[in-house]
Structure formats: structure tokens, C-alpha cells
Amino acid sequence: ARAVKDAAEQEAMRVSSKVNDDCMVEFEALIRPGITEKEMAEAIRGIYAAHGCSGVSFPPICGFGAHAADPHHDNDDTPLEAGQCVLIDVGGVYQDYCSDMTRTVVIGKASEKQKEVYHVVLEGDSLFFDVAAEALVKPGVRLCDIDAAARDLITEAGYGPYFNHRLGHFIGLEDHEAGDVSAVNENVVTPGMCFSIEPGIYLPGKFGVRIEDLVLVTEDGCEVLNHYPKELEIIG
């Protein structure tokens, strides 16, 4: 019942994601050398509140440098330094419905390795969101086959072992609801389902890159709920 959204719920998910897009503009404005992960996470909570959110979908993840290589990093007092990746995984609760989005940026100058990894992840993300590839997410397709499409692409690029989580999770009244986009879920996609697509590559001790958006399944394909830019952004 929760996995398939009715028309009112679908509109609620659209609105919640629009608020998240608007907030992300302000989140990236926080990025500067010296700010700590905890300081940034606390400021993010305040921005959500200012935009009318009743809370956060989950504790904001702000991973700097090597911490970005931990998909579920707990923020600490690490200050941001030039040349580091900044992974921001965030979501707010707006009128009871959750949003969720991840973007990764680089502060200062990006290394060639950072650029390479970012573009592999971006290619995996674009696999689902480019017009020519929308057939990957549509009614009747198995969720495990959607996961495999991104996993195969990252593996072919030589980073298979470093994509170490499922491709996505269902979302609605809670950030992680029953159902996922994983190698073991053979259920098929149904109109009204809403879930994340979040390919990532995590190089231990170095950095990590993840790009995440939400998709809402339609009668003949999918609607992407996030519209914040995904090209590599270098700040400063």
C-alpha cells in the first residue's frame, strides 16, 4: 500500500523534492574551507526549517575528503580543506513526505582521479535519466535488472568493488520504506512507485562520489523528481 502512491501522494512527493532542490542551492553556499561537517549539518537543518520543513528525512550526511568514501558517514568535527570532495546526502520532510538527494562537489581544484570517478558515476546516473534511456525504469521491468544496469556500467569502468550498496530504496512517508532497487529484488516496477537511483564509487582512505535522485514511475516510464544540476561542480 505504501509502495504505490496515489495521485495526491505523487504530488506531495513532487512538492517535497522541489523544496529540496531549492534548499540545495543554500547548502552549497555553506561550502568553504574551515567549516566542519557538524557545523554544515546543523546549518542544513536550519535551512530546511526556514523552507517550511517539519524536520529532516534522516540526519544530513556531510562527508569531507576520505569521509566521503563511507556511504553512511557520521559527521564529526573534521574541517573542510581545499582539494577535497564534499558529499552531501540530504532530505527534508515537507507536509509529511520525505525528499532525498545526494550531490558531490569538489572545493578548490579537482584531481584527474576525482574527475574520472565523478564522470563514471555521472554516466551511471545518466543511464537512467537521459531521454534515450528512460526505458530502463518503466512498468514491468524487474528492480534487480535496474540495479544490474548501473552495477555493470561501473564494473566495466573498473570500479565494481567500490560500488558497495544497493542502487536505490523506496521512499514516501519515511525515507527508507519497504522495497528497494537491489540485486535480490525480483519484483517488477509498478506505476506510482517512488524510489531513489543513487550510483556511487567509494575509494577507501581517498574520497567517494555519489549522485542521487528520486524517480516516480508513470504508466509508460518515469518522472525524475529532482532537477538540481549534476555536472561536476568545483567551488572556490
Side-chain angles (χ1 to χ4, degrees):
R2 292 267 289 271
V4 177
K5 273 65 177 172
D6 62 24
E9 291 178 300
Q10 291 177 31
E11 183 59 22
M13 292 300 297
R14 292 186 186 98
V15 172
S16 185
S17 286
K18 173 61 169 62
V19 171
N20 208 19
D21 283 343
D22 293 342
C23 288
M24 183 63 81
V25 177
E26 298 181 42
F27 299 158
E28 290 203 354
L30 299 169
I31 298 173
R32 63 183 186 278
I35 191 172
T36 69
E37 294 173 342
K38 285 184 176 179
E39 288 170 343
M40 187 169 179
E42 187 61 28
I44 284 171
R45 289 177 181 271
I47 291 169
Y48 275 126
H51 281 259
C53 292
S54 59
V56 292
S57 305
F58 53 91
I61 298 174
C62 303
F64 299 167
H67 290 170
D70 177 0
H72 300 102
H73 172 63
D74 288 328
N75 305 318
D76 62 22
D77 293 318
T78 298
L80 181 59
E81 299 177 7
Q84 289 184 324
C85 276
V86 180
L87 188 152
I88 308 171
D89 188 350
V90 288
V93 181
Y94 189 81
Q95 296 180 351
D96 297 328
Y97 282 82
C98 294
S99 60
D100 191 359
M101 174 169 52
T102 306
R103 292 292 185 268
T104 308
V105 304
V106 176
I107 182 169
K109 184 178 180 180
S111 69
E112 291 305 311
K113 191 67 170 178
Q114 288 171 334
K115 293 178 183 178
E116 175 189 326
V117 170
Y118 191 93
H119 287 297
V120 171
V121 175
L122 181 62
E123 186 177 359
D125 188 79
S126 297
L127 181 69
F128 297 93
F129 303 131
D130 284 352
V131 174
E134 284 185 353
L136 283 168
V137 181
K138 67 177 182 179
V141 175
R142 297 190 306 171
L143 289 156
C144 58
D145 292 333
I146 297 173
D147 179 277
R151 203 164 301 280
D152 289 349
L153 188 151
I154 290 174
T155 298
E156 289 170 7
Y159 292 102
Y162 304 105
F163 179 22
N164 51 21
H165 57 72
R166 60 191 178 180
L167 181 63
H169 58 84
F170 281 44
I171 185 172
L173 291 171
E174 296 179 82
D175 178 56
H176 287 81
E177 297 198 330
D180 64 8
V181 187
S182 69
V184 298
N185 192 347
E186 297 184 352
N187 292 327
V188 299
V189 173
T190 301
M193 286 182 172
C194 188
F195 48 80
S196 67
I197 297 292
E198 45 186 300
I201 294 173
Y202 311 94
L203 304 181
K206 297 179 181 178
F207 64 92
V209 173
R210 178 165 69 252
I211 301 172
E212 175 187 15
D213 287 311
L214 301 183
V215 295
L216 176 63
V217 181
T218 63
E219 293 295 331
D220 56 2
C222 69
E223 174 186 350
V224 183
L225 299 186
N226 302 94
H227 303 285
Y228 196 82
K230 293 179 286 190
E231 295 297 328
L232 177 58
E233 187 172 356
I234 300 173
I235 298 176

